[in-house]
Each structure stands twice: as structure tokens, then as C-alpha cells.
Amino acid sequence: MTRKIGVIGTPGKWSTESLADALEARTGYRQVIDMSQAVLDLEAGTLHCADVDLCQLDGLILKKIAEDYSPDALDRLEMLRVAEASGVRIFSPAVSVLRLMDRLACTMTLRAANIPMPATTVTEDEGAALAALQRYGAAVFKPLFSTKARGMMLLDSDTADAAARIAAFRQANPVIYVQQKLDLSGEDLGMVFLNGEYLCTYARVGQSGSWNTTIHSGGRYAPYEPSEELIELGRRAQAPFGLTFTTVDIAMTPDGPIVFEVSAFGGYSGALKGCGMDAATMVVDHVLGEVSR
């Protein structure tokens, strides 16, 4: 029997299309779903994207719910819960991803699990945010909804106009998330897991002159061999979220490893370019095994 598995993502994007290609090769069915076109009819119990009723599929792989993280993207995840209620398996489950898209929700879950993280202050008070910056010496101000370091601001405690820049940051971010900047020696790590099982680790090596290591800011991928202790840290960090495929962002500091966040959708490109691993095919094989049970 042909299994109809759709890919929720961004049409034309490499990782979305790679998943759709792998599904088509195994099932003969190919469907990329753009949630910006979703129409939820609660009376009829349908969730349509174009001509496809998501509630009638065998499963959905959730690669990207929106091009940019925002509170609006949470509403798209809520809509997917209708498909789940009708019996459609979603990988990763909508509720699991909901707990990750808001940076504060992710941070609170990691801290509750006793995962080491940079010192962090969260406040709506600009004066308290400035005081945190003074304590930390240098800090990164992070939007609660963002990826690839977009919208982040680095400040040193001796910045002359720090108060004014914090006030400007708060205009776009009413809740101010302040995280101490640590010495990361120019790289951080992406530790990849599939259904809770460790796959590989890649490094993101920052471009000279950039304070962050994201590929968006000119960083590059490189292979990395972690210790068993570091793998166990990554495993503990991702465990509370119940994700199908994810990447744990880890960095080595002079005081030991710290975790920044757990990815809602995982790093397919990093797994391929940094580890030589075709994560899309592995995810598809796992999903087909699950929906065939």
C-alpha cells in the first residue's frame, strides 16, 4: 500500500525538497505543503493546503512551519493539531515543536532539566537589562522568536550608548532576553539526533571578525568528534522535547560545555556538509517505519 506522507516546509528550499525527493523515491507520492496556504474548517473537520486535505494523509514530516519564527507560526502549529487529532502522525509532533519556537520556552525546559547554559536574564525592565549587561561584562540580546542569529544584538558593558540601544531593542522585543557572551574560541557544535538516538556532530566555525558562528553570517561546517560525556549532554538536552529529528547547539567554554538551544527542525545541511550524512533519507526511513506499524 502506498503511504501518503507530506512534507511541511518551504517549496524550493533544499532541505524541504530533499525530504520530498526521498519520500517520492520510496513511495511514489510527493507533496510539499506550504502552511501559509492552510485553510482550517473546524465545522467540516478539514485542514486544506491547496487541494490536499492534510487530515487524510498517512503522515506529515514537519521541516519548516514558516520562513521566519514568529508568534504567528505558533498558530500554524495549533492548526496541525487538528490533523493529529484525526489520526495523522506528525514528525515531530506539533506540541513538541510548540515548546521550542519560543526561545524562552526552550530555555525554561533546558534549565528545568539541569542543562548547563550561559547566564541569562529575562525582563521587561530596561534598567534591569542594563544591570544584567553590567554584571555579565558582555551580553547578547536575543529576540524570543528568531533563527540564525537574526535580530540579535551584542553589547559590551562599556558601550557608551548601551541604555539607548537597549531601549531601541525593546521597541521590537517587549520581553528582553539577555544572555552572557562567553568565549567560544570561534566555533560551536551541532549535535544531531534522530528519534533520540545520536547520529553525528558537526562544528560551525565562525568567520574572522564575526561574533557568531552561523552559516548565515559566513561560518562554515567542519567535522567534529565529541567525547562520550559530550554526547550524553546532548542526549539529555534533547530528551525532554520528544522530537523526531533535532540538533542540539553546544559550545565549549573554558568552564566546560554549555547548551544554547535545541532546534525545532534540525540541521539537515549541517549533517550533510559537516558529517557527510544524508539525514533526509534517514528521517524518511524512520517515518515510513513508524507509519507502517
Side-chain angles (χ1 to χ4, degrees), residues 20-32:
D21 288 344
L23 281 165
E24 184 178 24
R26 284 155 176 75
T27 69
Y29 182 83
R30 191 182 207 282
Q31 186 65 57
V32 173

Side-chain angles (χ1 to χ4, degrees), residues 64 103 142 280:
K64 200 78 165 179
R103 189 182 307 279
K142 300 182 176 184

Side-chain angles (χ1 to χ4, degrees), residues 69-84:
Y69 284 14
S70 72
D72 295 337
L74 301 181
D75 295 329
R76 295 182 181 181
L77 288 166
E78 291 290 353
M79 293 168 74
L80 285 176
R81 294 175 63 190
V82 172
E84 285 181 315

